[in-house]
Structure formats: structure tokens, C-alpha cells
């Protein structure tokens, strides 16, 4: 079996770490070896314990995001093709399974193209494992697909969802599964991410962790943690705002300070604003060698914060529940049904953070909203432009912070926190309740129902692998229909968030 994944902290990497030992232990008798192919440098690969058998982890730069490549598409395709042929001998190809993570996001459609071509020619089985999709608000990916010759919706569907002989699709949440299965049918499987509760940490370890944190931050005050790196969809300014409003003496930290090329302007904007405003924040507290794990840091945090506008599964919710740390989080429609189905309960969810219009320059924000809408319109395929109708903000009513441009969000953050909170407190009864109960916040209880353990995940995985080996291709029309259903969700007015607009920070940061 060959696994391709592009490692970034969290997400796909977490799935790989949690599942591979169980997948190997439950592998069929004729299983021989596994190779992990990643676009990240070898120094960034996670250490995966408990892997028996013959396992190799290889870095192939051509597998990295297309935006981080220096080669033209044709040369890149040759490099990827050579790498695949070097890892999978011709005589073993028809007995090989490729487990391809996140092809639907279209971060490197040349890689998608070469993997699918290789499987078609060699007879390798293929699992297309989707965590996110380009048509779920990542519209700037369309420009990259056009540069790579995928300039129609039909070609985009074929390269991101395309069904080859001996291939199946996997989604990690029910919303995506319904969209795909409604078109492709039994070629689609729902495989929720595995959920593993970390072992208890001794009191001595907790004291040592607290000492490490106090020394690292040069403070013994409370810390509020957002377990993430710099990603627009994480809506980090909202997390910072909540910390400054609800717990002014706390220090806000993120676990990682990393950012991809596309996210660097967003990261610079936040870092510059934090330095200029003197905010009590630290980014990337766990980046240095010898730092604790994310789950360990959460155990000494007062609160975990999750303010994302978009997630595929919601692993951060699970991590907070596992640590016993109280979680304050934005309820996301595509995430909560899956987590609730698994038995998770989160007592401190809020729908939105509502802002009094008096805190921003309404006229300037209205102009910015228009410009961001035009930017997104320019990113869309021409056949979709007429369908894009973002919700217009009523500036005479309380405004959802998540719906503001980043400049509008900064306007709010640059107000004196105490005065801004007092102006917005009546608009946010859920947050007011959390603020009132701050010293006795409940943690999210660990479910007692059957949750997707790594063992059950592995059993389901091998069933899917067997289905892939015996499947026939879906028709191009059905694949296009599946993409159309995803597009319908992506173009829904409620799916539009200005901070998601790719590269909207470049000109002013």
C-alpha cells in the first residue's frame, strides 16, 4: 500500500498517526509493505510509533502544493510520474493500493492527474479520501486548475473526483457524504476520523508542563489556547477577541506559528496587528524542539478556543474533550451533526459573536464587502458567476464578527476591550452567560457511546480497500453531478465569509 499525504500540523497528519498502527495490525495476510509519500521536507514528518512491518516515509517535493512549486505543469508531471514509478514496481502495481488524501481540495491537480493516470495504466486500486473541497469556498483554486489545463467544470470534476477503474471515494463528514453519495451512490463511503482519548497524565507531569509553560511565556497567568496554525478558516481574530473580552488577564496562544505560502499574508496581518496593538498573545508556542504535545498543553490551559468558520471534521473539538479542558467554540452546521452522532456534547457553544455597528466604520466596511465580493466573483468559473449571491450585511442590525472583512475585524479589536464588550454584551447572551460562569466552566464530557476507535476505523478501511479493488468507474456525468452538489453548498450565501477570500490581504498588509 502507498499512502500520499501532504503533512501540515493537525488534520490529515492526525488521521495518519492514529490509524496506521491499527491498519497494519489488521492487514490481510498478503500485505507486504507500506510507503508514505509526502510533499513536506523529511524534517517535518511526524514520528509515527507502533508501525510494524516494512514502512518507508519519503519526501517528494513535487507532491507539495502547486503554489509552492517552481516547475511548470509538464515538468512537474514528469517528476511525479517518475516518483510513482520508482516507488511502485510494475510487477507489483496491480496488487497496490494508493490511499490519496485530500485530492478534492485541488492543491496540486498535476499530482491528482498523475496518480489517476498511474492507477488507470497500472491497475492499482485507489481510495480518494476527501477532507475538503475546492468548491467549498476555496475558489482561488480555480485559477490554479486553469493554469494546469483544467479550465471547465467537467475537467475539474474529473481531476478532483474522477472515478477510475478500481477506485472509491471517502468523506469524513455526513454533509459531504450526502452530497457525493447522492450522485455517485455506492462508490462513496463515510469514514469519520478516529477518536482516541489520550492516556491520563500524572500530577508530576502536569506540574512539569505548567513549569514549562510559565517559563516559555514568562508568566504564571491563565492561558487560552487555540490548537491551530495560521489558517483563514480558523477565524483567529475572533478567538483573540473572545480572550480579550472574557478574560483580559489571560494570554492567548496558538500551538503552531506555521503558515503555507497562501496563508502568509494572513499570518503577517495578525502578527503585525498584535505587535502594534500590544495584544497579550503568543503564536506557535509548541514549534520549538522539546515542546509538549498539543494534548498536553491543553491539559494546563484554562480554556480551549475554536472559532472556525469551516472545518471538515472538527478534531479540535475532540482534542479539547479528551483533555478535560473547557471549550468555548463557534457551532458549525457541517461539523456538529457528526460530533453529536458520536455522543459528544459541548456546553459552551455560541452561534456567532455579534458586534454593535457603532464599533466600525460602516461606510468603509460596506465598500470592503463589495470589493471582496468582486474578488470572489473574479475567482469563480465563468459559468458560476451569476450564481454567486453573498448575503448583504444589514448595518442597522447587530453584525456577526465572522462576516466582517479582516479590516473590519481589526477595527473591533482595536477598540478598548472593556468598552467594546460592554457595547456588545447585550447582543451576545450566550457569551454573557459564559463570562458570568467563567470560574466554573464545564468541560466537554467524553462520550460513553461507541465512537470510531482506531481499531474500528482500520476494519472499515480494509472493507473500503476491498471495495476499491472490485469497483468499476462511475460515469463522468455522475461525477459532475457530485461536484455540482458540492458547488451548490459552496455558493450558498451563508457559506460566504470575507476572510476566506484568497489573497485579499496582499495589497494592504
Amino acid at each position: 500500500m502507498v499512502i500520499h499525504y501532504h503533512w501540515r500540523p493537525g488534520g490529515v497528519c492526525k488521521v495518519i498517526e492514529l490509524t496506521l498502527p491499527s491498519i497494519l495490525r489488521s492487514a490481510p495476510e498478503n500485505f507486504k509493505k507500506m510507503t508514505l509519500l509526502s510533499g513536506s521536507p523529511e524534517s517535518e514528518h511526524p514520528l509515527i510509533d507502533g508501525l510494524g512491518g516494512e514502512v518507508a516515509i519519503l519526501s517528494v517535493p513535487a507532491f507539495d502544493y502547486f503554489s509552492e512549486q517552481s516547475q511548470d505543469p509538464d515538468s512537474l508531471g514528469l517528476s511525479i510520474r517518475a516518483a510513482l514509478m520508482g516507488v511502485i514496481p510494475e510487477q507489483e502495481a496491480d496488487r497496490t493500493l494508493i490511499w490519496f488524501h485530500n485530492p478534492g481540495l485541488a492543491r496540486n491537480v498535476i499530482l491528482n492527474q498523475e496518480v489517476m493516470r498511474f492507477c488507470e495504466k497500472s491497475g492499482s486500486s485507489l481510495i480518494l479520501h476527501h477532507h475538503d473541497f475546492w468548491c467549498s469556498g476555496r475558489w482561488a483554486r480555480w485559477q490554479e486548475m486553469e493554469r494546469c489545463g483544467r479550465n471547465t467544470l467537467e475537467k475539474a470534476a474529473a481531476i478532483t473526483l474522477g472515478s477510475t477503474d478500481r477506485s472509491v471515494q471517502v468523506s469524513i463528514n455526513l454533509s459531504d457524504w450526502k452530497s457525493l453519495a447522492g450522485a455517485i451512490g455506492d462508490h462513496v463511503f463515510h469514514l469519520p476520523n478516529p477518536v482516541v482519548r489520550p492516556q491520563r497524565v500524572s500530577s508530576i507531569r502536569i506540574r512539569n508542563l505548567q513549569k514549562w509553560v510559565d517559563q516559555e511565556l514568562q508568566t504564571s497567568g491563565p492561558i487560552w489556547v487555540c490548537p491551530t496554525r495560521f489558517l483563514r478558516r480558523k477565524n483567529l481574530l475572533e478567538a483573540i477577541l473572545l480572550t480579550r473580552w472574557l478574560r483580559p488577564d489571560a494570554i492567548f496562544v496558538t500551538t503552531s506559528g506555521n503558515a503555507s505560502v497562501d496563508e502568509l499574508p494572513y499570518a503577517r496581518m495578525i502578527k503585525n496587528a498584535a505587535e502594534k496593538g500590544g495584544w497579550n498573545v503568543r503564536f506557535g508556542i509548541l514549534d520549538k524542539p522539546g515542546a509538549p504535545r498539543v494534548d498536553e498543553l491543553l491539559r494546563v490551559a484554562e480554556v480551549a478556543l475554536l472559532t472556525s468558520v469551516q472545518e471538515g471534521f472538527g478534531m479540535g473539538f475532540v482534542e479539547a474533550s479528551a483533555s478535560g479542558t473547557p471549550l468555548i467554540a463557534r457551532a458549525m452546521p457541517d461539523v456538529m451533526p457528526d460530533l453529536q452522532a458520536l455522543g459528544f456534547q459541548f456546553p459552551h457553544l455560541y452561534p456567532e459573536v455579534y458586534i454593535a455597528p457603532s464599533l466600525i466604520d460602516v461606510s468603509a466596511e460596506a465598500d470592503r464587502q463589495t470589493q471582496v465580493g468582486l474578488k470572489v466573483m473574479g475567482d469563480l468559473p465563468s459559468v458560476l458567476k451569476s450564481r454567486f449571491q453573498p448575503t448583504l450585511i444589514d448595518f442597522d442590525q447587530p453584525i456577526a464578527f465572522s462576516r466582517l472583512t479582516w479590516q473590519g475585524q481589526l477595527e473591533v479589536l482595536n477598540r478598548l476591550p472593556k468598552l467594546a464588550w460592554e457595547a456588545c454584551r447585550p447582543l451576545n447572551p450566550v457569551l454573557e452567560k459564559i463570562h458570568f460562569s467563567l470560574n466554573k466552566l464545564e468541560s466537554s464530557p467524553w462520550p460513553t457511546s461507541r465512537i470510531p476507535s482506531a481499531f474500528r476505523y482500520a476494519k472499515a478501511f480494509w472493507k473500503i480497500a476491498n471495495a476499491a479493488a472490485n469497483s468499476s468507474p462511475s460515469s463522468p456525468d455522475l461525477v459532475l453531478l457530485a461536484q455540482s452538489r458540492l458547488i451548490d453548498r459552496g455558493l450558498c450565501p451563508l457559506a460566504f465569509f470575507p476572510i476566506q477570500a484568497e489573497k485579499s490581504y496582499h495589497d494592504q498588509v
Side-chain angles (χ1 to χ4, degrees):
M1 176 166 63
V2 173
I3 298 175
H4 164 261
Y5 69 105
H6 182 81
W7 183 75
R8 300 284 187 187
V12 174
C13 175
K14 181 67 69 174
V15 175
I16 299 293
E17 286 186 275
L18 292 178
T19 61
L20 285 194
S22 292
I23 286 173
L24 286 168
R25 284 194 293 269
S26 58
E29 291 184 1
N30 59 352
F31 176 82
K32 289 187 177 180
K33 65 179 180 180
M34 176 184 294
T35 303
L36 279 70
L37 300 175
S38 169
S40 298
E42 292 182 8
S43 61
E44 295 183 3
H45 290 164
L47 295 176
I48 302 176
D49 299 323
L51 296 183
E54 186 179 347
V55 179
I57 304 178
L58 303 178
S59 176
V60 183
F63 285 25
D64 203 344
Y65 294 161
F66 182 78
S67 60
E68 306 196 18
Q69 300 291 336
S70 58
Q71 300 184 74
D72 62 80
D74 289 340
S75 300
L76 185 62
L78 291 173
S79 298
I80 294 169
R81 205 173 310 154
L84 289 171
M85 294 175 66
V87 169
I88 306 172
E90 183 177 355
Q91 63 273 21
E92 297 180 4
D94 62 350
R95 292 179 283 115
T96 295
L97 168 67
I98 296 181
W99 185 17
F100 189 3
H101 281 270
N102 231 5
L105 190 54
R107 291 309 311 255
N108 186 341
V109 293
I110 302 301
L111 176 62
N112 291 24
Q113 164 190 291
E114 294 303 326
V115 167
M116 292 182 190
R117 283 179 178 174
F118 181 87
C119 291
E120 287 173 345
K121 292 181 178 180
S122 67
S124 295
S125 300
L126 176 63
I127 295 176
L128 297 167
H129 196 140
H130 302 293
H131 300 255
D132 302 284
F133 298 93
W134 73 272
C135 46
S136 298
R138 277 59 170 249
W139 303 114
R141 299 276 76 78
W142 178 254
Q143 296 177 0
E144 287 186 3
M145 285 194 279
E146 285 189 312
R147 288 176 57 193
C148 296
R150 304 289 166 166
N151 56 359
T152 67
L153 292 180
E154 290 80 4
K155 291 179 179 178
I159 205 62
T160 57
L161 301 175
S163 178
T164 65
D165 197 23
R166 304 182 71 190
S167 72
V168 294
Q169 319 262 343
V170 168
S171 73
I172 64 174
N173 66 48
L174 287 168
S175 296
D176 293 339
W177 175 79
K178 289 176 181 177
S179 294
L180 296 174
I184 307 176
D186 57 7
H187 283 75
V188 184
F189 295 84
H190 176 223
L191 187 61
N193 286 343
V195 174
V196 177
R197 190 174 191 178
Q199 295 180 347
R200 291 183 177 273
V201 177
S202 69
S203 57
I204 295 176
R205 178 59 177 161
I206 292 290
R207 287 196 295 272
N208 289 336
L209 287 168
Q210 190 64 62
K211 288 179 182 177
W212 185 92
V213 170
D214 292 348
Q215 183 176 3
E216 182 68 20
L217 298 177
Q218 293 296 296
T219 180
S220 58
I223 63 170
W224 284 29
V225 176
C226 188
T228 184
R229 61 188 176 100
F230 284 104
L231 291 166
R232 285 181 293 278
R233 63 181 173 84
K234 295 292 184 178
N235 193 22
L236 281 175
L237 291 179
E238 184 165 300
I240 295 171
L241 180 72
L242 289 177
T243 306
R244 286 160 61 82
W245 276 5
L246 304 180
R247 191 67 147 124
D249 58 335
I251 181 169
F252 171 84
V253 304
T254 65
T255 50
S256 173
N258 295 322
S260 66
V261 169
D262 286 342
E263 302 285 358
L264 281 176
Y266 178 71
R268 285 197 297 267
M269 176 272 290
I270 293 182
K271 290 178 180 178
N272 291 343
E275 183 177 357
K276 184 178 179 180
W279 302 347
N280 192 19
V281 300
R282 275 284 302 275
F283 304 112
I285 187 176
L286 302 186
D287 284 345
K288 63 171 55 177
R293 301 188 309 269
V294 171
D295 64 283
E296 291 181 317
L297 177 65
L298 286 172
R299 291 180 187 275
V300 296
E302 182 177 81
V303 163
L305 282 164
L306 292 171
T307 52
S308 302
V309 297
Q310 187 177 45
E311 291 285 350
F313 177 76
M315 189 61 77
F317 287 81
V318 174
E319 290 173 333
S321 181
S323 70
T325 305
L327 171 69
I328 299 173
R330 187 175 180 277
M332 289 175 286
D334 284 346
V335 169
M336 303 321 301
D338 287 81
L339 295 176
Q340 289 167 354
L342 298 176
F344 285 97
Q345 301 175 30
F346 303 99
H348 308 302
L349 298 178
Y350 64 91
E352 293 281 3
V353 176
Y354 289 103
I355 303 298
S358 60
L359 295 183
I360 63 171
D361 182 334
V362 167
S363 177
E365 178 63 15
D367 288 342
R368 290 192 294 261
Q369 292 275 337
T370 298
Q371 292 303 312
V372 173
L374 292 173
K375 167 65 174 62
V376 174
M377 186 81 75
D379 287 338
L380 288 170
S382 57
V383 296
L384 299 182
K385 294 184 187 296
S386 62
R387 293 170 56 186
F388 176 63
Q389 299 292 332
T391 300
L392 297 177
I393 292 178
D394 182 353
F395 290 103
D396 293 326
Q397 301 293 326
I399 306 164
F401 186 85
S402 65
R403 302 289 174 175
L404 294 173
T405 62
W406 66 267
Q407 297 99 321
Q409 291 187 342
L410 282 185
E411 278 191 78
V412 178
L413 273 159
N414 287 332
R415 300 279 185 170
L416 288 175
K418 183 177 181 180
L419 296 180
W421 169 234
E422 288 304 318
C424 300
R425 180 197 292 262
L427 311 177
N428 297 280
V430 175
L431 295 180
E432 188 173 22
K433 181 180 178 182
I434 292 172
H435 186 245
F436 180 77
S437 308
L438 207 55
N439 293 325
K440 49 183 178 181
L441 292 180
E442 302 174 61
S443 60
S444 304
W446 190 256
T448 56
S449 58
R450 289 173 59 85
I451 57 176
S453 66
F455 172 73
R456 283 197 288 273
Y457 185 99
K459 289 184 65 176
F461 172 85
W462 286 114
K463 288 181 180 179
I464 293 171
N466 184 63
N470 294 284
S471 70
S472 56
S474 298
S475 76
D477 288 343
L478 292 180
V479 172
L480 183 62
L481 176 60
Q483 179 180 260
S484 179
R485 292 167 67 97
L486 293 169
I487 289 173
D488 287 342
R489 288 169 51 203
L491 288 176
C492 171
L494 292 178
F496 174 66
F497 296 92
I499 56 171
Q500 284 278 73
E502 295 273 355
K503 303 179 182 178
S504 60
Y505 315 88
H506 284 210
D507 297 336
Q508 300 182 50
V509 175

